[in-house]
Amino acid sequence: MQDVSSLVAQARDGRPRAVARLISLVEGASPQLREVMAALAPLTGNAYVVGLTGSPGVGKSTSTSALVTAYRKQGKRVGVLAVDPSSPFSGGALLGDRVRMSEHASDPGVYIRSMATRGHLGGLAWAAPQAIRVLDAAGCDVVLVETVGVGQSEVEIASQADTSVVLLAPGMGDGIQAAKAGILEIGDVYVVNKADRDGADATARELNHMLGLGESRAPGDWRPPIVKTVAARQEGVDEVVEALEKHRAWMEEHGVLTARRLARASREVETIAVTALRERIGDLHGDRRLDALAERIIAGDLDPYRAADELVAGLTSAGPSGVN
């Protein structure tokens, strides 16, 4: 068992090993997870969480690295969660810490962590909300969350970030795919990366047209800007940071930032509660109570919905061990 209070104190001092151990406790669903979250709770709420998503090949890792450079020039501490596909053998992240971000590896003001999705859909790891909380409590001013890049299902980042950045690139059909993927609804800032390639202006125009068709905004509502970048050369990245800061200021002025964070906390509590109930229901397999309900259904004395109601009522009125 690890000394959680000591780990948290070391993480606050910027020690990367302590941060790594705390995130490992989160990823492994450690028995100490409740203690970790309780210790972190008073220390959170300061980090600005930016999500980056987009199809494979648009330059998410390069763009993330470029944003780290820009924020570090401002003197801000930056945390990066780079979510990778899971290895079918070890369950770990396939790519490990990103090669494209290796230039920041020795910077004490930057913490980079690759996380495995472990089969979780939506482009994020299931432990991402708690890992974000660890980086927040560790004193990161900005947390950049880079999603897997699996394509059209990757909209979950909008529920975990304060601001969502959608990256596209010319010549990849992204403009057409955007309409299908639902990303026109989740993007707060759009970035056309690799803007030195042919077709960048056309991609930006097409995206602007699609945003115009899909919008039903009242006066004063946020209209997502479109920024063109060449992240590999740090071109246009300062404009992306400026767009992010403008969006943050707009959210604070209109109460949107608080509303988003409240919704995020509500979803997290719901997920934890549903997971706990699912585990307790799983423990009932082979239990006489579940068999008795099944027998009543087969006999025609009970329908499945009423049986489920009885099961849920029994679980919620019982203690953790299932005993009233």
Side-chain angles (χ1 to χ4, degrees):
M1 300 288 282
Q2 303 192 54
D3 185 345
V4 170
S5 59
S6 176
L7 281 179
V8 171
Q10 292 175 41
R12 292 287 288 175
D13 289 339
R15 298 188 184 181
R17 285 189 178 182
V19 178
R21 286 173 182 168
L22 287 171
I23 294 181
S24 293
L25 290 175
V26 167
E27 283 193 291
S30 165
Q32 292 182 283
L33 185 54
R34 288 176 180 270
E35 184 184 355
V36 169
M37 289 299 112
L40 295 180
L43 307 173
T44 59
N46 301 308
Y48 176 40
V49 183
V50 178
L52 294 97
T53 188
S55 301
V58 297
K60 289 190 298 300
S61 292
T62 304
S63 297
T64 300
S65 180
L67 283 173
V68 171
T69 299
Y71 278 120
R72 288 299 291 146
K73 285 181 180 178
Q74 296 180 2
K76 294 183 178 180
R77 291 181 66 183
V78 184
V80 178
L81 287 181
V83 184
D84 287 325
S86 300
S87 163
F89 303 104
S90 66
L94 278 177
L95 302 182
D97 286 341
R98 303 299 179 93
V99 173
R100 294 180 185 87
M101 298 185 210
S102 59
E103 62 186 281
H104 304 294
S106 60
D107 186 344
V110 180
Y111 181 85
I112 301 171
R113 174 71 172 235
S114 284
M115 296 184 71
T117 59
R118 303 192 181 186
H120 186 81
L121 298 178
L124 289 180
W126 73 271
Q130 289 80 24
I132 291 170
R133 188 171 284 108
V134 170
L135 294 175
D136 185 358
C140 290
D141 300 297
V142 180
V143 177
L144 303 176
V145 184
E146 179 194 335
T147 66
V148 173
V150 292
Q152 296 181 18
S153 67
E154 210 169 319
V155 296
E156 188 180 340
I157 187 60
S159 68
Q160 298 298 340
D162 296 323
T163 298
S164 296
V165 178
V166 176
L167 288 104
L168 303 96
M172 299 185 68
D174 281 331
I176 303 300
Q177 291 301 315
K180 300 179 184 177
I183 60 173
L184 293 182
E185 298 173 5
I186 71 164
D188 298 307
V189 175
Y190 289 88
V191 173
V192 178
N193 189 33
K194 305 181 182 180
D196 52 342
R197 292 184 178 180
D198 291 339
D201 291 338
T203 299
R205 283 196 303 271
E206 184 178 4
L207 180 57
N208 187 56
H209 176 65
M210 288 184 173
L211 287 171
L213 289 176
E215 68 181 2
S216 55
R217 299 181 177 87
D221 283 356
W222 177 257
R223 192 184 193 284
I226 300 169
V227 184
K228 290 186 287 185
T229 66
V230 184
R233 299 202 297 260
Q234 204 70 23
E235 295 176 10
V237 178
D238 288 340
E239 286 79 2
V240 176
V241 172
E242 182 181 353
L244 292 173
E245 292 305 315
K246 284 182 179 178
H247 184 243
R248 183 179 188 176
W250 177 85
M251 288 192 295
E252 289 174 343
E253 180 184 349
H254 292 81
V256 175
L257 184 59
T258 299
R260 286 191 176 188
R261 291 180 174 179
L262 282 171
R264 192 158 74 217
S266 296
R267 278 188 295 269
E268 190 175 356
V269 171
E270 180 183 350
T271 299
I272 292 169
V274 169
T275 300
L277 280 173
R278 187 179 294 120
E279 288 174 353
R280 289 167 67 180
I281 291 173
D283 291 339
L284 288 178
H285 286 294
D287 187 283
R288 183 58 199 158
R289 286 172 294 173
L290 194 56
D291 290 341
L293 289 171
E295 288 171 0
R296 291 172 64 191
I297 292 172
I298 296 300
D301 298 332
L302 192 66
D303 67 81
Y305 288 93
R306 286 179 56 201
D309 289 341
E310 287 190 24
L311 179 61
V312 171
L315 288 171
T316 53
S317 64
S321 62
V323 178
N324 289 315

